[in-house]
Amino acid sequence: MAQHVFHLKAHWPGGRNDTGSIATKNLKTIVSIPPEMDGPGIGTNPDEMLLGAAATCYIITLAAMIERSKVDKIDLTMESEGFVDVTDGVITYEKITHRPVVTIKEEQLKKFSTLLQKLAIKAEHSCMISRALKGNVEVEAILTIKTQ
């Protein structure tokens, strides 16, 4: 078994409504509490980063599955949304919805439409971040197929 270790350094010199910073090998950014949660909204925040981790893991997984399936995709784009509930001061990350859009050639639609729908669901179940969230945050994928 090979284990990968990822490192992050964080610095938070102030109080709740101040800013801090995080740094990894390839990411350095300012962080704070988002304005939706009465924070200063400077830089990114944990909610966006969780959504970013889930979205990038999902789209990379889906792209790899499409490539292995021999579908000649023209493009793959996606928008994702994270739904956070705040009730009585308790903050709960409830759901992430990915909306991938795969563009393929018109003549491939009939042959690969069902397969692409299956891959969109399989990628959600296979992505490491989705698996880490399982049981805590609902993750769904709603695929759109476009043709050229």
Side-chain angles (χ1 to χ4, degrees):
M1 179 180 101
Q3 184 180 47
H4 302 283
V5 178
F6 298 94
H7 298 275
L8 179 138
K9 289 186 179 182
H11 182 229
W12 195 275
R16 180 195 185 280
N17 285 322
D18 289 314
T19 62
S21 63
I22 60 167
T24 67
K25 180 179 175 183
N26 295 305
L27 172 69
K28 293 174 178 48
T29 190
I30 302 297
V31 292
S32 72
I33 296 172
E36 297 85 355
M37 296 176 187
D38 299 323
I42 299 170
T44 190
N45 59 69
D47 308 286
E48 288 178 343
M49 288 190 296
L50 180 62
L51 181 60
T56 54
C57 183
Y58 176 82
I59 200 167
I60 291 167
T61 302
L62 180 58
M65 289 179 167
I66 291 171
E67 181 180 58
R68 283 192 303 270
S69 71
K70 306 290 189 226
V71 175
D72 185 22
K73 79 170 171 57
I74 296 168
D75 198 16
L76 173 59
T77 62
M78 187 172 76
E79 291 188 18
S80 297
E81 296 174 298
F83 298 89
V84 177
D85 180 64
V86 181
T87 302
D88 297 327
V90 177
I91 303 167
T92 306
Y93 213 117
E94 293 184 330
K95 181 179 180 179
I96 293 174
T97 301
H98 300 304
R99 298 180 191 283
V101 178
V102 177
T103 304
I104 60 175
K105 295 176 183 168
E106 178 77 39
E107 57 270 18
Q108 289 188 312
L109 184 60
K110 187 174 181 182
K111 182 177 180 182
F112 291 116
S113 178
T114 301
L115 174 63
L116 286 169
Q117 292 291 343
K118 288 179 182 176
L119 291 178
I121 294 167
K122 186 176 180 183
E124 184 265 312
H125 294 294
S126 301
C127 163
M128 175 180 68
I129 302 299
S130 293
R131 289 192 332 261
L133 296 173
K134 190 174 183 172
N136 292 307
V137 178
E138 178 187 351
V139 181
E140 71 173 345
I142 302 168
L143 176 68
T144 300
I145 302 171
K146 290 186 175 181
T147 59
Q148 277 190 344

